[in-house]
Amino acid sequence: MKKTGAQIVNECLVQEGVKVVFGYPGGAIMPVHDAMLDYPIHHVLTRHEQGAVFAADGYARTTGDVGVCIATSGPGATNLVTGIATAMMDSSPVICITGQVAAHLIGGDAFQEVDVTGITLPITKHNYLVTSADQLAEVFKEAFFIARSGRPGPVLIDICKNAQVEEAEFDYPKEISLPGYKPPKHADMNLLEDAAKMIGEAKRPVILAGHGVLMSGAMEDLRLFAEKTQTPVAMTLLGLGSIPASHPYSLGMMGMHGEAYCNQAIQNSDLLLAFGMRFDDRVTGHLRTYAPRARKIHVEIDPSEIDKNVEVDVPLVGDLKTVLEDITPIVSPKDNEEWLDQIKEWREETEARDILSWPDEEKLHSAHVIRDFWQKTGGDSIVTTGVGQHQMWAAQYYQFEQPYKFITSGGAGTMGFGLPSALGAWFANPDKEVWTVEGDGSFQMSLNELATVVQEGANIKILLINNSYLGMVRQWQEFFFDKRYAATPITGPDFVKLSEAYGVPAKRVTKSGDMENAIEFAQNTPGPVLIEYQVEKEESVYPMVPAGAALDEMIRRPITQKKASS
């Protein structure tokens, strides 16, 4: 059966179960958009191509399935680059479809011609340049397979305009086999036995749970392993939700802005079990001083991550869920109560420093805002964030009991991610309560997507932390640059009026006593709502591990006397 290349693109998307794509049209991709009108695919018109790829990323992270975005050639394609890099750093399965000039014009500097496959080669798991329609079906089958298999990641398909209008026979492959690409499932049995022996000998073990726990769907396997071996679980930023925050073995978040007691546990451990994490520098602190007395077991599906940053004693290359299913039956039950009691002491000392213990002086602190938000939503919302201080406060004070509830840019740290990723998360979960926690700097990078949210009738709630600074950079300037606030004070519009101009109801909170009904107002108002919190301007995120310091050499908040109970 012959079809145009544009029709074949849409046929392939339907075959892969795609129901929604996020994008922006243009001349070089117009045939695909035209053909899409005849297929059961909903196109979401974002207000910027970067918003499209962020939305596809948010869709993917909440479902584990592939998110799809589409853009035209030239500036349309290059506007996807930051989002593609974000997805690559965080192993998010995204398919990016771009238009390209006709094949015979390539290399001639035609209108809106850019070598987007060359540009994105370092930031995609794979990419394709399609020059004829008869290539499309096999390319799409391979692209979806590559994006979602093994360690997931973004794949870009650049389609010349002639390939969209010419006809070809359409026969979608049922299976795909790529020579040399065989993502591992099971780790070597001898190494599993070595790991089990090492686990049995450990007195102070800590599990480091990363994004791979969620990507492999290994949450229950992780819990069973932790309970059998009495091993506490520290989580990376993207690993939050791997184990419920309320679980007695949960240590919360590790790293630069992680819980102090969590970092102390890692530094004093004698065995680290790295589950689906890559020893990022924000997690380790100075490598020479990282967990100096700990042996290390690394479970990782991507063999290139083994020994890349931290040398390990036992590498277990395979799918995390499968590896845990294989190793849990052969480890012996453990009694680590003495170690857990030590961590409990460190936890109590950490809690004594927490800002939640400070007296209520009607000042509006960001930590109080996030904790009130968590309590009012029952911890059951999908929460996306931008990047900055508000991101860290959300990670610290919103207690995630379930997986796939926290969507944020980790490895790339991409500002502007919050609102468009919430749009993607809502399309994937229209029956869920979706919030985005934004900062006034990050929000201003993508607030044009308010128009998209309104056009689509997306029920997204926006919690805006406004401290009139680029807060995280300002914090570094306070600590390390003698409070020389260079290029960090930031003005903004009247966010309430701006939201209302877009058709989004909004409310402003300026002191702690006004917080009471703000979240309920958003929850009880149909459609999108914005709540702006004008918080203390020079607050800092604690603890903080300075650059070049050991993980437990943290700048910590001073202990403040708790408010006496009446």
Side-chain angles (χ1 to χ4, degrees):
M1 176 174 18
K2 281 199 169 186
K3 292 182 178 293
T4 66
Q7 291 173 320
I8 291 173
V9 169
N10 286 281
E11 290 280 357
C12 293
L13 293 176
V14 170
Q15 290 280 345
E16 292 293 340
V18 175
K19 295 181 173 59
V20 59
V21 301
F22 306 89
Y24 208 95
I29 198 66
M30 200 177 298
V32 171
H33 278 97
D34 177 70
M36 195 177 292
L37 293 175
D38 298 323
Y39 289 86
I41 299 171
H42 179 63
H43 182 274
V44 178
L45 177 63
T46 58
R47 296 316 190 254
H48 192 284
E49 291 88 353
Q50 182 171 275
V53 65
F54 286 163
D57 194 341
Y59 183 97
R61 295 198 203 198
T62 57
T63 62
D65 204 354
V66 177
V68 180
C69 63
I70 186 168
T72 192
S73 63
T78 59
N79 279 346
L80 296 176
V81 167
T82 298
I84 295 171
T86 300
M88 186 67 175
M89 289 288 281
D90 290 349
S91 304
S92 189
V94 174
I95 297 290
C96 303
I97 302 168
T98 53
Q100 183 55 277
V101 300
H104 72 279
L105 296 176
I106 288 178
D109 292 333
F111 177 66
Q112 290 192 333
E113 180 195 357
V114 168
D115 178 12
V116 70
T117 52
I119 289 170
T120 61
L121 186 64
I123 56 169
T124 51
K125 192 175 176 183
H126 195 57
N127 65 22
Y128 298 87
L129 173 62
V130 179
T131 58
S132 62
D134 58 7
Q135 300 171 326
L136 283 165
E138 186 172 359
V139 163
F140 268 81
K141 186 68 176 181
E142 286 186 9
F144 274 84
F145 175 69
I146 292 170
R148 62 163 66 102
S149 61
R151 179 180 180 175
V155 177
L156 181 134
I157 306 171
D158 195 34
I159 310 173
C160 291
K161 192 166 186 180
N162 63 285
Q164 299 172 46
V165 297
E166 65 192 27
E167 291 189 335
E169 292 289 336
F170 175 66
D171 182 19
Y172 201 58
K174 292 182 172 58
E175 296 181 359
I176 201 75
S177 178
L178 299 176
Y181 179 65
K182 303 292 181 185
K185 282 287 186 181
H186 298 272
D188 180 87
M189 181 53 68
N190 290 329
L191 291 175
L192 284 170
E193 291 172 352
D194 291 344
K197 183 175 182 292
M198 198 173 287
I199 292 163
E201 295 169 348
K203 303 296 184 186
R204 300 184 306 279
V206 176
I207 293 168
L208 310 179
H211 197 199
V213 177
L214 305 181
M215 302 304 287
S216 66
M219 294 74 65
E220 180 66 10
D221 306 277
L222 169 65
R223 184 188 64 79
L224 292 172
F225 178 89
E227 291 175 351
K228 183 174 183 179
T229 59
Q230 276 206 343
T231 305
V233 181
M235 288 167 276
T236 66
L237 176 69
L238 297 184
L240 292 172
S242 296
I243 194 168
S246 61
H247 193 283
Y249 293 165
S250 171
L251 299 182
M253 186 173 68
M254 67 179 95
M256 177 175 282
H257 296 294
E259 301 288 356
Y261 62 86
C262 179
N263 290 345
Q264 287 172 295
I266 291 169
Q267 288 297 89
N268 287 276
S269 67
D270 64 359
L271 177 65
L272 294 181
L273 298 110
F275 289 172
M277 55 86 70
R278 57 190 178 84
F279 292 108
D280 175 77
D281 59 290
R282 286 292 178 102
V283 160
T284 63
H286 198 293
L287 286 174
R288 289 184 182 176
T289 58
Y290 180 63
R293 292 173 293 279
R295 294 188 289 181
K296 300 169 182 73
I297 298 170
H298 193 180
V299 185
E300 173 60 53
I301 199 167
D302 183 354
S304 71
E305 292 293 346
I306 301 295
D307 293 334
K308 186 174 82 173
N309 296 324
V310 172
E311 290 189 12
V312 299
D313 298 274
V314 180
L316 299 175
V317 178
D319 178 77
L320 178 61
K321 181 175 176 61
T322 304
V323 172
L324 285 175
E325 288 172 348
D326 291 343
I327 197 171
T328 301
I330 65 173
V331 296
S332 301
K334 296 286 299 295
D335 180 358
N336 290 321
E337 288 297 338
E338 185 176 343
W339 174 229
L340 296 174
D341 288 342
Q342 173 62 75
I343 294 173
K344 182 180 179 182
E345 289 182 20
W346 290 329
R347 185 193 291 259
E348 289 171 352
E349 199 273 338
T350 296
E351 290 173 349
R353 296 174 181 266
D354 198 290
I355 194 172
L356 296 180
S357 68
W358 286 22
D360 183 2
E361 298 173 346
E362 280 297 292
K363 293 181 178 180
L364 192 56
H365 295 292
S366 299
H368 293 155
V369 170
I370 300 298
R371 183 49 59 93
D372 179 70
F373 166 48
W374 168 64
Q375 291 170 340
K376 293 293 197 318
T377 59
D380 192 42
S381 297
I382 294 172
V383 179
T384 77
T385 79
V387 168
Q389 286 181 313
H390 65 282
Q391 175 191 30
M392 294 297 104
W393 283 315
Q396 290 176 335
Y397 292 102
Y398 198 97
Q399 302 299 293
F400 293 96
E401 293 291 311
Q402 302 172 43
Y404 313 115
K405 294 286 191 177
F406 185 53
I407 312 300
T408 194
S409 171
T414 308
M415 294 176 70
F417 183 77
L419 181 59
S421 65
L423 181 68
W426 181 81
F427 268 98
N429 305 270
D431 57 333
K432 304 286 187 183
E433 189 171 307
V434 178
W435 285 77
T436 183
V437 177
E438 288 279 13
D440 51 321
S442 193
F443 185 52
Q444 290 189 73
M445 288 195 171
S446 57
L447 57 77
N448 54 334
E449 300 302 343
L450 284 172
T452 312
V453 170
V454 171
Q455 181 170 341
E456 295 293 337
N459 186 27
I460 295 169
K461 314 302 181 183
I462 304 159
L463 190 157
L464 176 62
I465 303 290
N466 184 359
N467 59 11
S468 300
Y469 279 103
L470 299 177
M472 189 58 81
V473 183
R474 183 214 60 76
Q475 177 171 332
W476 279 70
Q477 291 170 335
E478 176 187 349
F479 290 173
F480 309 116
F481 291 86
D482 298 323
K483 292 190 176 183
R484 292 164 61 85
Y485 294 159
T488 49
I490 183 171
T491 60
D494 183 320
F495 289 107
V496 170
K497 289 182 178 178
L498 179 76
S499 296
E500 291 172 344
Y502 274 105
V504 177
K507 188 171 186 175
R508 179 177 293 116
V509 178
T510 59
K511 58 182 184 294
S512 64
D514 295 338
M515 288 200 305
E516 182 62 29
N517 299 316
I519 300 300
E520 290 95 326
F521 166 74
Q523 291 175 316
N524 295 330
T525 303
V529 178
L530 180 140
I531 308 294
E532 177 194 3
Y533 292 86
Q534 293 185 344
V535 299
E536 291 296 295
K537 292 186 176 182
E538 294 184 71
E539 280 192 315
S540 293
V541 178
Y542 292 100
M544 178 179 180
V545 180
L551 189 59
D552 54 354
E553 293 176 345
M554 297 163 281
I555 300 172
R556 301 181 65 180
R557 192 188 307 277
I559 295 179
T560 300
Q561 184 66 38
K562 290 187 179 182
K563 182 179 180 181
S565 58
S566 55

PDB file of all heavy atoms in Angstrom, residues 127-143:
ATOM      1  N   ASN A 127      20.644   9.420  16.167  1.00  0.00           N
ATOM      2  CA  ASN A 127      19.841  10.287  15.316  1.00  0.00           C
ATOM      3  C   ASN A 127      19.921   9.843  13.864  1.00  0.00           C
ATOM      4  O   ASN A 127      20.783   9.056  13.475  1.00  0.00           O
ATOM      5  CB  ASN A 127      20.195  11.775  15.489  1.00  0.00           C
ATOM      6  CG  ASN A 127      21.603  12.128  15.044  1.00  0.00           C
ATOM      7  OD1 ASN A 127      22.230  11.434  14.253  1.00  0.00           O
ATOM      8  ND2 ASN A 127      22.118  13.241  15.564  1.00  0.00           N
ATOM      9  N   TYR A 128      18.958  10.321  13.076  1.00  0.00           N
ATOM     10  CA  TYR A 128      18.811   9.888  11.683  1.00  0.00           C
ATOM     11  C   TYR A 128      18.574  11.095  10.782  1.00  0.00           C
ATOM     12  O   TYR A 128      17.886  12.055  11.168  1.00  0.00           O
ATOM     13  CB  TYR A 128      17.590   8.972  11.519  1.00  0.00           C
ATOM     14  CG  TYR A 128      17.607   7.685  12.284  1.00  0.00           C
ATOM     15  CD1 TYR A 128      17.137   7.624  13.595  1.00  0.00           C
ATOM     16  CD2 TYR A 128      18.064   6.496  11.701  1.00  0.00           C
ATOM     17  CE1 TYR A 128      17.119   6.429  14.302  1.00  0.00           C
ATOM     18  CE2 TYR A 128      18.060   5.302  12.395  1.00  0.00           C
ATOM     19  CZ  TYR A 128      17.583   5.270  13.696  1.00  0.00           C
ATOM     20  OH  TYR A 128      17.576   4.086  14.382  1.00  0.00           O
ATOM     21  N   LEU A 129      19.101  11.030   9.576  1.00  0.00           N
ATOM     22  CA  LEU A 129      18.724  11.935   8.500  1.00  0.00           C
ATOM     23  C   LEU A 129      18.033  11.092   7.436  1.00  0.00           C
ATOM     24  O   LEU A 129      18.645  10.196   6.841  1.00  0.00           O
ATOM     25  CB  LEU A 129      19.957  12.635   7.903  1.00  0.00           C
ATOM     26  CG  LEU A 129      19.697  13.486   6.644  1.00  0.00           C
ATOM     27  CD1 LEU A 129      18.727  14.626   6.945  1.00  0.00           C
ATOM     28  CD2 LEU A 129      21.013  14.021   6.085  1.00  0.00           C
ATOM     29  N   VAL A 130      16.749  11.346   7.203  1.00  0.00           N
ATOM     30  CA  VAL A 130      15.940  10.561   6.257  1.00  0.00           C
ATOM     31  C   VAL A 130      15.836  11.340   4.957  1.00  0.00           C
ATOM     32  O   VAL A 130      15.299  12.451   4.934  1.00  0.00           O
ATOM     33  CB  VAL A 130      14.545  10.271   6.838  1.00  0.00           C
ATOM     34  CG1 VAL A 130      13.714   9.480   5.836  1.00  0.00           C
ATOM     35  CG2 VAL A 130      14.663   9.519   8.155  1.00  0.00           C
ATOM     36  N   THR A 131      16.318  10.766   3.877  1.00  0.00           N
ATOM     37  CA  THR A 131      16.330  11.464   2.590  1.00  0.00           C
ATOM     38  C   THR A 131      15.310  10.934   1.593  1.00  0.00           C
ATOM     39  O   THR A 131      15.105  11.531   0.538  1.00  0.00           O
ATOM     40  CB  THR A 131      17.737  11.371   1.959  1.00  0.00           C
ATOM     41  OG1 THR A 131      18.098   9.991   1.808  1.00  0.00           O
ATOM     42  CG2 THR A 131      18.770  12.087   2.834  1.00  0.00           C
ATOM     43  N   SER A 132      14.660   9.795   1.919  1.00  0.00           N
ATOM     44  CA  SER A 132      13.630   9.274   1.023  1.00  0.00           C
ATOM     45  C   SER A 132      12.539   8.584   1.829  1.00  0.00           C
ATOM     46  O   SER A 132      12.789   8.074   2.932  1.00  0.00           O
ATOM     47  CB  SER A 132      14.227   8.291   0.008  1.00  0.00           C
ATOM     48  OG  SER A 132      14.787   7.171   0.668  1.00  0.00           O
ATOM     49  N   ALA A 133      11.356   8.554   1.286  1.00  0.00           N
ATOM     50  CA  ALA A 133      10.191   8.053   2.017  1.00  0.00           C
ATOM     51  C   ALA A 133      10.321   6.576   2.358  1.00  0.00           C
ATOM     52  O   ALA A 133       9.803   6.126   3.393  1.00  0.00           O
ATOM     53  CB  ALA A 133       8.922   8.298   1.204  1.00  0.00           C
ATOM     54  N   ASP A 134      11.015   5.801   1.515  1.00  0.00           N
ATOM     55  CA  ASP A 134      11.089   4.363   1.773  1.00  0.00           C
ATOM     56  C   ASP A 134      11.972   4.004   2.981  1.00  0.00           C
ATOM     57  O   ASP A 134      12.036   2.852   3.383  1.00  0.00           O
ATOM     58  CB  ASP A 134      11.554   3.606   0.526  1.00  0.00           C
ATOM     59  CG  ASP A 134      12.914   4.077   0.016  1.00  0.00           C
ATOM     60  OD1 ASP A 134      13.571   4.902   0.683  1.00  0.00           O
ATOM     61  OD2 ASP A 134      13.323   3.621  -1.083  1.00  0.00           O
ATOM     62  N   GLN A 135      12.639   4.989   3.562  1.00  0.00           N
ATOM     63  CA  GLN A 135      13.448   4.758   4.767  1.00  0.00           C
ATOM     64  C   GLN A 135      12.636   4.908   6.057  1.00  0.00           C
ATOM     65  O   GLN A 135      13.064   4.454   7.119  1.00  0.00           O
ATOM     66  CB  GLN A 135      14.613   5.757   4.826  1.00  0.00           C
ATOM     67  CG  GLN A 135      15.571   5.682   3.657  1.00  0.00           C
ATOM     68  CD  GLN A 135      16.563   6.840   3.678  1.00  0.00           C
ATOM     69  OE1 GLN A 135      16.238   7.954   4.098  1.00  0.00           O
ATOM     70  NE2 GLN A 135      17.790   6.568   3.234  1.00  0.00           N
ATOM     71  N   LEU A 136      11.478   5.553   5.963  1.00  0.00           N
ATOM     72  CA  LEU A 136      10.804   6.046   7.166  1.00  0.00           C
ATOM     73  C   LEU A 136      10.344   4.950   8.114  1.00  0.00           C
ATOM     74  O   LEU A 136      10.558   5.039   9.335  1.00  0.00           O
ATOM     75  CB  LEU A 136       9.614   6.924   6.773  1.00  0.00           C
ATOM     76  CG  LEU A 136       9.975   8.334   6.308  1.00  0.00           C
ATOM     77  CD1 LEU A 136       8.792   8.998   5.609  1.00  0.00           C
ATOM     78  CD2 LEU A 136      10.453   9.177   7.485  1.00  0.00           C
ATOM     79  N   ALA A 137       9.697   3.913   7.594  1.00  0.00           N
ATOM     80  CA  ALA A 137       9.114   2.903   8.482  1.00  0.00           C
ATOM     81  C   ALA A 137      10.193   2.223   9.324  1.00  0.00           C
ATOM     82  O   ALA A 137      10.044   2.090  10.557  1.00  0.00           O
ATOM     83  CB  ALA A 137       8.349   1.865   7.665  1.00  0.00           C
ATOM     84  N   GLU A 138      11.274   1.822   8.705  1.00  0.00           N
ATOM     85  CA  GLU A 138      12.341   1.150   9.458  1.00  0.00           C
ATOM     86  C   GLU A 138      13.003   2.107  10.439  1.00  0.00           C
ATOM     87  O   GLU A 138      13.318   1.732  11.575  1.00  0.00           O
ATOM     88  CB  GLU A 138      13.383   0.573   8.501  1.00  0.00           C
ATOM     89  CG  GLU A 138      14.429  -0.267   9.217  1.00  0.00           C
ATOM     90  CD  GLU A 138      15.351  -1.008   8.255  1.00  0.00           C
ATOM     91  OE1 GLU A 138      15.165  -0.876   7.027  1.00  0.00           O
ATOM     92  OE2 GLU A 138      16.232  -1.722   8.744  1.00  0.00           O
ATOM     93  N   VAL A 139      13.204   3.350  10.035  1.00  0.00           N
ATOM     94  CA  VAL A 139      13.814   4.344  10.925  1.00  0.00           C
ATOM     95  C   VAL A 139      12.964   4.560  12.166  1.00  0.00           C
ATOM     96  O   VAL A 139      13.468   4.588  13.299  1.00  0.00           O
ATOM     97  CB  VAL A 139      14.047   5.668  10.172  1.00  0.00           C
ATOM     98  CG1 VAL A 139      14.280   6.812  11.158  1.00  0.00           C
ATOM     99  CG2 VAL A 139      15.227   5.543   9.226  1.00  0.00           C
ATOM    100  N   PHE A 140      11.659   4.710  11.984  1.00  0.00           N
ATOM    101  CA  PHE A 140      10.788   4.950  13.133  1.00  0.00           C
ATOM    102  C   PHE A 140      10.748   3.739  14.068  1.00  0.00           C
ATOM    103  O   PHE A 140      10.751   3.886  15.294  1.00  0.00           O
ATOM    104  CB  PHE A 140       9.378   5.338  12.681  1.00  0.00           C
ATOM    105  CG  PHE A 140       9.183   6.818  12.544  1.00  0.00           C
ATOM    106  CD1 PHE A 140       9.617   7.484  11.414  1.00  0.00           C
ATOM    107  CD2 PHE A 140       8.594   7.552  13.558  1.00  0.00           C
ATOM    108  CE1 PHE A 140       9.467   8.856  11.285  1.00  0.00           C
ATOM    109  CE2 PHE A 140       8.426   8.927  13.447  1.00  0.00           C
ATOM    110  CZ  PHE A 140       8.872   9.588  12.310  1.00  0.00           C
ATOM    111  N   LYS A 141      10.711   2.540  13.508  1.00  0.00           N
ATOM    112  CA  LYS A 141      10.719   1.340  14.345  1.00  0.00           C
ATOM    113  C   LYS A 141      12.002   1.273  15.171  1.00  0.00           C
ATOM    114  O   LYS A 141      11.970   1.006  16.381  1.00  0.00           O
ATOM    115  CB  LYS A 141      10.598   0.091  13.474  1.00  0.00           C
ATOM    116  CG  LYS A 141      10.448  -1.202  14.274  1.00  0.00           C
ATOM    117  CD  LYS A 141       9.126  -1.268  15.002  1.00  0.00           C
ATOM    118  CE  LYS A 141       8.938  -2.597  15.708  1.00  0.00           C
ATOM    119  NZ  LYS A 141       7.640  -2.690  16.408  1.00  0.00           N
ATOM    120  N   GLU A 142      13.137   1.538  14.532  1.00  0.00           N
ATOM    121  CA  GLU A 142      14.409   1.538  15.246  1.00  0.00           C
ATOM    122  C   GLU A 142      14.450   2.637  16.291  1.00  0.00           C
ATOM    123  O   GLU A 142      14.912   2.430  17.423  1.00  0.00           O
ATOM    124  CB  GLU A 142      15.560   1.735  14.255  1.00  0.00           C
ATOM    125  CG  GLU A 142      15.894   0.543  13.407  1.00  0.00           C
ATOM    126  CD  GLU A 142      17.136   0.781  12.555  1.00  0.00           C
ATOM    127  OE1 GLU A 142      17.818   1.816  12.766  1.00  0.00           O
ATOM    128  OE2 GLU A 142      17.426  -0.055  11.690  1.00  0.00           O
ATOM    129  N   ALA A 143      13.978   3.826  15.933  1.00  0.00           N
ATOM    130  CA  ALA A 143      14.075   4.982  16.831  1.00  0.00           C
ATOM    131  C   ALA A 143      13.316   4.742  18.130  1.00  0.00           C
ATOM    132  O   ALA A 143      13.828   5.023  19.226  1.00  0.00           O
ATOM    133  CB  ALA A 143      13.550   6.234  16.129  1.00  0.00           C
TER     134      ALA A 143
END
